[in-house]
Amino acid sequence: MLTLGALGFASPWLLLAGLGLPAIWWLLRVTPPAPLLVRFPPAFLILGLRSREDQPARTPIWLTILRMVLAALIILGLAEPVLDPAAPLRGSGPLVLIVDNGWASAQGWERRRQAWKRLLDQAGAEGRPVRIAATARSRPDSPAALSDPLRAEDARKILRALRPVPWSADYDALRAAVESVTVDGQAHVVWLSDGLDGPGAYDLAAQLQRLGGLEIMTGGAASAPLLVDPPDGDGGGFDVALRRAGAAGTRTARVRAVDPDGRVLARGEAGFVAGETRAGLRLDLPREVRREVARLHVEGQETAGGVFLLDDRWRRRPVGAVSGGSTDADQPLLGTVYYLERALGPYHDVVPGDVAALTERELSVVFIADIGKLGRAEQDRLSAWIEQGGVLVRFAGPKLAQGADALLPVALRKGGRALGGSLSWTHPARLAPFSAPSPFVGLDVPGDVRVKRQVLAQPSFALDERTWARLTDGTPLVTAARRGDGWLVLFHVTANMDWSNLPISGLFVNMLRRIVDLSRGVAGHDPAAALPLLAALDGFGVLGDPPAGAAATISGPAGEARAAPGSPPGYYGSDGARRALNLSPGIADFAPLDALPAGVARSSYAGGAAVPLRGWLLLAALLLAVADTSIGLALRGLLRPSTARLAAVLLLVAAGPDAPSRAQTGSSSAQPADADAPALRATLETRLAHVLTGDRRVDSIARDGLAGLGKVLRQRTSVEPGPPLGVRIEADELAFYPVLYWPVSTLQSPPSERAMGKLNRYLRTGGMILFDTRDRGDTALGAPAGTSPAARHLRRLVQGLDIPMLTPIPRDHVLTRSFYLLSDFPGRWTGGRLWVERRGGQHNDGVSSVVVGANDWAAAWAVDSDGRPRLPVVPGGEGQREYAYRFGVNWVMYALTGNYKADQVHVPAIMERLGQ
C-alpha cells in the first residue's frame, strides 16, 4: 500500500494511468462537437434556420475540463484510495489472529468483528497469509488449534461464522496447541481479547510472543461484562448481587425480573462504588408475582453471564412433616399433623417421615409437631440443614411443655399456661394484630380465633424482636430466630385443635404459606439422575432450543454442575421439573487482564477505522458521466421536451403523490364505506364490546379480557360470542352490543354532549354498561368524593349520564344467580363492592342497566394468544380467577336474559305463602 500522509492507495500502480491525461486532453480539444440536428419538415427548417458561421471547431474548454475530471476520478477510484489507513503489519510473516469467543466476548462483539475485518483487509492488501484461532471451543470434541495459513478471504469466511459461546475461554488448551507451531519470518500477532483474565492467559500471551510482536486489543471499563450471582429469594422478592471484573471508578446497572413470556415484572438499579467489585439491589415483588419470575437480566448486558435463570428451586417448595404423636387412621382429626397437611397440601408437596429420612431429601421446610426433646444426632442434622437455608417450624404440645431441647428460637418455661376452663378465672385469648418485623403483617386476624393453652417464653431482651405473633395480653404466640441462612420458628400452640382453634381458620393457612415463602426452593428431580437439555442460552444470553445434535446432560446435586461445551447453561430435566444451569456459579476468578509479559502492546477497539474512498469516487464519476451525456444531448438539440410531456409532468406534480393511486382505484365515492364494517360484524353474531379509552395498555387488557370471557362462555353456556370489539363512543353506533365493558382510565377525556346522548339512548333501550375503576376502592357514584383517583374520574366521565340510584348488590339479586350461585364478585383484586340499580323501578323490567365495581375483571379474564392468563390474580390465585370468570358469565347471562330468573330468586317466599 502506498501512503501519502492521511491517504493511502491499495492499488497504487493504477495511478500510472494518470500519465495518459495529457493525451486525453489533446483528443478532447481537437474533437469537434457533434453537428446540430434540425427536424424536418422544410417549413421549420426555413423558419428556424440561422447563420452558423460561429459553430466551434473544437470542444468548449469547460466541457473538456469536466471530462478530464471524470477521467481522473475513474483512475483514482480504481487505485482504491483509503482515508486514515492503518499502519502496515509488522514483520514479514503471516498475520496471526487470536479471537476471544467466550461468554464475555458477546459484550461488544460487533467491535471485534470490525477489528478483524480491518486487519484482514490490510493482510489482503499486503498479500500476507492469515492464521486464526478461537480461545473457546464450540463443541466438546473440537480441539483448540491454530489454523493453517489461509488467504484473507478464506479467513474472513471462517470468522464470519464465529459466534460467542456461553462458557469461558480455555487458554491452557490453546497455549498447548501454539507450542508446536512455527511460522516463516516474524508474524504480526493480534489478540482480540474480551478484557478478562483467566487460567493460562499469561502463559498464552508469552507463547504468542514467540511467533512475533504481540498486540492485545481490549474494550473500555465502562463496557466490561457483568455477572449475576445466584439471588437470595424470600416471600417479598429477590436480593440480587452483581459482580464486575475491575474495581476502578463508579458504575450503575439496572436489573429486571422477567416472566416466561418476556414481560418485565420488576426493575431495580445497583451502583458500583470505586474500589468495590460487587453491588447489590432489592427487587420487591408480591408473593404471587414472585413465583412468575423466570429470569433476571442485566439491561445492556447481552451475555450469558448477564442472565440468571430461575427454576423450581425458586418456586417449588416441598415440605416435610414429623409427628410426635400417634397417628390414628380411623380418627384423622385427632392427628398432630392432619391440619398441617390439609393447609399445605393444595400449595406444596407434603412429605411425612422422621427427621433422619427427611434431612436426606431436598426440602424447603420441615414441620415438627409436639416433640419435646430431639436426639443429639437429630439436632445436629437439623442444625446443619437450617444453616444451609432450611426453615424448621416446631409446634408445642404436652411433650414440649414438659421439657424441651435447645433447638428453639427462645427459652421456654416449663408447664405452659392454661386459658379458660372450669377452674380458671381467665378466658380463651384472642390474637393481636400483626406488626413489623413479622412476615404476617397485612394478614387479617379473625375475631373468632381463640387460644386455650400455650407454652410461655422466658423473658429476655431479644424476645420482642423474635416475636412474630402475640396474643392480646402480649404473650408470644409465634417466635422465630435466624440461624445461618435459615430460620427456626416455634408456634406456642399445638398443630391440632387441642390448644386452639387456629388450625381450622383461614389465617392458619396464610401464616404457613408466608413461612414457606421465606425458604429456598429445591429442584424437583432425582439428584442422581441424568437430566437432558431442554433449552439452552447462547453466547448473547438468549434462551432458545438446544443446538442441533446436542445431547448434553447434567447430573449430581444442585450447584455442582458447571457450564462447559458439554453442558451449556440453560434448562435441564423435564417440563414438570426443570433445573437451571447458570454460568456465574462456576466463575470464581473474575478479574481484568492486567498481568502481561513485558513487550506486549495494548490497544483499544475504539481506534479509528480506515475509510475507503473508492465507492465515493466512482459514484462521483458516474454522476459526471450522466451530466456529460445530458450536456451532449442538449448541444445537439435532442433534449427539448415536448409541450405535451411537460404539461403531463406538471399535472402529476400538482396532483400530489396520491394521484396514481386515485387514478387506479377511482373516486372514493365509488368504493363501499368502511364506517359500517364494525356494525355489520356485530349484527352477524353476538359481540362483547369494550369502550376504547385511549390508554393502550388498558384497552389491550380489556380486549384480551373479553376474549378470555368469550372462550369461557362458549365452553360453559349456549352463548357463542364472536371476537370482542372496541368501540369509540364518540363515533360508533352502540345499539348493536348487548353489553359494554368500560375500564376507567384517567387518561380518557369526558364524553361530549353528543356522545352522552348516545349513551343515554343505549341505556334506555336495554343496553348494559359495566364500569370498572380497577382500583379495589369504593366506586359508588354517590360515595363521598376523594375515595380514589379512578372513582373521582368516573364521576367526571358520567356527569350528564342518566344513571338511576345505585345500591350495593343485595344477596338475592338476580345477578348473583343468573347462571352460578355467587356471594362475592372478585376480579384481579377482591374487596371492592359491586353497585347495581336500586329495585322498584320499571325501567328495563327491573334489570339494572348500570353495574359499577373496582375489582379489575378484565385483567382476571385476560388471556394471551396461547390461551394462558396474562396477569396474576391476588390474593386468591387461580381459585379467585375461576370466580372472576363465573361473575363474567353471570353478567353476560343477566344482560341477555333479563329478569327471567327473578321468580326463582323468590321461590322460597312463594313456597312459604303456598304453605308447602
Side-chain angles (χ1 to χ4, degrees):
M1 174 178 287
L2 175 63
T3 303
L4 300 175
L7 190 65
F9 293 91
S11 303
W13 56 272
L14 286 174
L15 294 176
L16 297 176
L19 299 176
L21 288 178
I24 296 176
W25 172 274
W26 180 78
L27 288 174
L28 292 176
R29 288 290 293 162
V30 301
T31 303
L36 177 66
L37 299 179
V38 179
R39 290 193 178 95
F40 208 74
F44 286 97
L45 179 62
I46 296 173
L47 293 175
L49 189 59
R50 294 187 304 166
S51 174
R52 296 299 181 186
E53 296 179 356
D54 56 349
Q55 182 76 21
R58 296 182 179 181
T59 303
I61 184 63
W62 57 270
L63 185 58
T64 303
I65 294 175
L66 183 146
R67 292 174 176 174
M68 288 294 294
V69 172
L70 172 61
L73 289 175
I74 293 175
I75 294 172
L76 290 174
L78 295 177
E80 301 183 51
V82 178
L83 188 63
D84 293 331
L89 300 179
R90 298 184 301 273
S92 58
L95 168 66
V96 177
L97 273 180
I98 307 299
V99 182
D100 269 345
N101 66 319
W103 70 271
S105 65
Q107 190 71 10
W109 182 253
E110 182 60 28
R111 292 183 300 170
R112 287 176 183 78
R113 291 183 64 251
Q114 296 300 325
W116 80 52
K117 286 174 61 178
R118 294 195 302 268
L119 292 167
L120 291 178
D121 289 341
Q122 198 165 352
E126 297 182 14
R128 304 273 284 270
V130 181
R131 305 188 72 169
I132 59 177
T135 58
R137 292 176 294 169
S138 58
R139 297 189 306 274
D141 56 348
S142 58
L146 194 64
S147 72
D148 294 331
L150 304 169
R151 294 186 305 112
E153 286 302 318
D154 296 334
R156 195 189 310 273
K157 294 177 182 178
I158 296 175
L159 290 176
R160 192 179 295 129
L162 188 65
R163 292 291 184 274
V165 294
W167 47 79
S168 299
D170 191 350
Y171 297 131
D172 284 327
L174 184 57
R175 177 195 54 78
V178 174
E179 283 182 352
S180 59
V181 173
T182 60
V183 297
D184 296 333
Q186 288 291 313
H188 181 91
V189 186
V190 181
W191 182 355
L192 304 179
S193 172
D194 56 21
L196 297 183
D197 200 356
Y202 183 92
D203 296 334
L204 175 60
Q207 195 63 40
L208 292 173
Q209 272 191 307
R210 185 179 58 85
L211 304 179
L214 174 61
E215 176 187 359
I216 293 184
M217 288 189 179
T218 58
S223 61
L226 300 177
L227 274 176
V228 185
D229 282 335
D232 186 8
D234 55 35
F238 295 96
D239 292 315
V240 185
L242 304 180
R243 274 190 287 165
R244 63 173 176 173
T250 61
R251 184 177 180 183
T252 59
R254 295 181 67 87
V255 178
R256 58 191 179 193
V258 184
D259 71 358
D261 297 327
R263 292 188 290 264
V264 179
L265 303 178
R267 180 182 281 110
E269 183 174 291
F272 291 92
V273 299
E276 296 291 337
T277 60
R278 294 179 180 270
L281 71 151
R282 172 75 178 177
L283 294 178
D284 291 316
L285 290 162
R287 300 174 191 275
E288 293 76 9
V289 178
R290 177 188 178 279
R291 300 187 182 97
E292 300 297 323
V293 179
R295 66 182 183 274
L296 304 175
H297 181 210
V298 184
E299 295 182 357
Q301 293 286 311
E302 308 302 330
T303 69
V307 175
F308 195 93
L309 302 176
L310 303 179
D311 57 15
D312 294 334
R313 285 171 287 175
W314 278 266
R315 300 186 186 91
R316 183 174 172 270
R317 290 177 168 82
V319 299
V322 182
S323 173
S326 60
T327 57
D328 191 344
D330 295 331
Q331 293 180 313
L333 296 180
L334 301 180
T336 55
V337 295
Y338 173 78
Y339 295 100
L340 281 174
E341 294 175 347
R342 297 283 292 178
L344 295 170
Y347 310 103
H348 306 284
D349 299 333
V350 182
V351 182
D354 55 23
V355 172
L358 292 179
T359 52
E360 293 294 331
R361 303 174 61 100
E362 284 191 317
L363 297 175
S364 296
V365 184
V366 171
F367 293 90
I368 297 180
D370 193 21
I371 294 181
K373 294 182 179 181
L374 295 166
R376 174 55 57 186
E378 292 176 329
Q379 291 186 52
D380 293 341
R381 284 174 177 266
L382 288 172
S383 296
W385 176 75
I386 295 171
E387 294 283 342
Q388 296 175 1
V391 177
L392 175 63
V393 183
R394 302 186 67 172
F395 284 85
K399 298 177 182 178
L400 190 67
Q402 295 304 316
D405 52 49
L407 200 60
L408 293 172
V410 295
L412 298 179
R413 290 182 177 181
K414 190 174 181 179
R417 172 197 185 198
L419 301 169
S422 58
L423 300 179
S424 175
W425 292 97
T426 60
H427 299 281
R430 300 173 59 182
L431 273 66
F434 303 113
S435 59
S438 170
F440 308 141
V441 171
L443 296 179
D444 294 328
V445 178
D448 56 351
V449 174
R450 296 291 187 273
V451 175
K452 298 180 294 184
R453 186 175 178 182
Q454 67 179 139
V455 292
L456 293 175
Q458 291 283 5
S460 67
F461 291 107
L463 180 60
D464 188 61
E465 64 182 24
R466 293 186 178 185
T467 300
W468 282 1
R470 63 182 77 241
L471 301 180
T472 53
D473 61 4
T475 56
L477 179 69
V478 181
T479 54
R482 190 83 176 182
R483 296 285 180 90
D485 292 334
W487 286 93
L488 182 56
V489 184
L490 171 65
F491 277 74
H492 292 236
V493 293
T494 58
N496 57 15
M497 294 280 293
D498 290 348
W499 288 12
S500 74
N501 63 349
L502 176 64
I504 62 172
S505 68
L507 176 63
F508 187 65
V509 178
N510 292 329
M511 291 173 71
L512 295 183
R513 293 184 65 186
R514 291 281 181 98
I515 293 174
V516 174
D517 283 342
L518 294 174
S519 65
R520 293 181 177 179
V522 299
H525 63 84
D526 183 2
L531 306 179
L533 179 61
L534 294 177
L537 284 176
D538 63 12
F540 295 102
V542 178
L543 186 66
D545 295 331
T553 59
I554 60 172
S555 61
E560 290 187 1
R562 294 292 181 263
S567 54
Y571 283 117
Y572 291 78
S574 61
D575 290 332
R578 299 191 302 172
R579 173 177 165 186
L581 176 62
N582 288 286
L583 178 71
S584 60
I587 301 178
D589 299 326
F590 189 45
L593 185 61
D594 290 334
L596 292 172
V600 175
R602 283 181 175 270
S603 61
S604 172
Y605 292 113
V611 180
L613 301 178
R614 175 180 178 177
W616 294 106
L617 293 176
L618 293 180
L619 176 61
L622 176 62
L623 295 177
L624 287 182
V626 172
D628 178 73
T629 303
S630 302
I631 291 171
L633 293 175
L635 292 176
R636 298 176 61 189
L638 300 179
L639 203 61
R640 298 175 181 173
S642 64
T643 304
R645 290 179 182 176
L646 182 60
V649 171
L650 293 177
L651 285 175
L652 287 176
V653 172
D658 297 334
S661 60
R662 289 200 299 265
Q664 294 174 4
T665 59
S667 64
S668 59
S669 60
Q671 301 298 323
D674 293 336
D676 296 334
L680 293 175
R681 291 196 298 267
T683 56
L684 296 177
E685 54 185 340
T686 302
R687 296 291 185 105
L688 306 181
H690 63 95
V691 174
L692 294 175
T693 65
D695 188 329
R696 292 186 178 181
R697 182 177 181 277
V698 172
D699 294 341
S700 172
I701 293 175
R703 181 192 66 244
D704 293 345
L706 294 184
L709 178 59
K711 180 180 177 181
V712 172
L713 286 168
R714 288 190 292 272
Q715 292 173 346
R716 305 183 186 183
T717 72
S718 60
V719 180
E720 296 185 357
L725 293 174
V727 297
R728 298 164 298 175
I729 56 177
E730 298 286 349
D732 296 334
E733 177 57 51
L734 307 179
F736 302 105
Y737 310 103
V739 292
L740 285 181
Y741 177 78
W742 191 328
V744 177
S745 171
T746 55
L747 300 180
Q748 186 178 17
S749 301
S752 63
E753 292 187 8
R754 178 176 175 274
M756 280 296 178
K758 292 172 58 177
L759 289 170
N760 284 326
R761 287 193 301 273
Y762 174 75
L763 295 176
R764 295 188 189 108
T765 54
M768 181 182 295
I769 301 178
L770 171 58
F771 292 96
D772 188 354
T773 60
R774 307 176 296 110
D775 60 355
R776 294 183 277 190
D778 189 352
T779 56
L781 296 179
T787 53
S788 70
R792 293 194 299 269
H793 192 69
L794 172 60
R795 295 187 185 94
R796 288 193 293 269
L797 290 177
V798 301
Q799 189 175 7
L801 196 61
D802 187 14
I803 296 180
M805 183 66 69
L806 301 181
T807 183
I809 186 169
R811 290 182 177 273
D812 57 350
H813 194 275
V814 180
L815 185 55
T816 65
R817 59 187 69 195
S818 58
F819 194 85
Y820 290 104
L821 296 177
L822 298 177
S823 60
D824 195 13
F825 313 96
R828 186 185 183 190
W829 322 116
T830 186
R833 286 192 292 180
L834 192 70
W835 296 76
V836 297
E837 182 179 348
R838 179 175 294 178
R839 293 178 181 173
Q842 299 300 318
H843 173 69
N844 289 340
D845 290 332
V847 176
S848 178
S849 58
V850 173
V851 181
V852 183
N855 288 335
D856 200 2
W857 289 284
W861 302 333
V863 295
D864 58 17
S865 57
D866 296 327
R868 295 176 298 185
R870 276 189 55 178
L871 298 168
V873 174
V874 294
E878 294 307 310
Q880 181 174 324
R881 192 187 305 277
E882 169 61 24
Y883 277 95
Y885 278 127
R886 293 186 180 187
F887 165 70
V889 172
N890 277 22
W891 170 53
V892 175
M893 298 300 290
Y894 178 55
L896 296 179
T897 61
N899 62 355
Y900 90 101
K901 282 197 175 183
D903 291 339
Q904 295 188 18
V905 173
H906 301 289
V907 163
I910 296 174
M911 299 297 291
E912 182 180 357
R913 289 183 181 180
L914 294 176
Q916 301 180 7

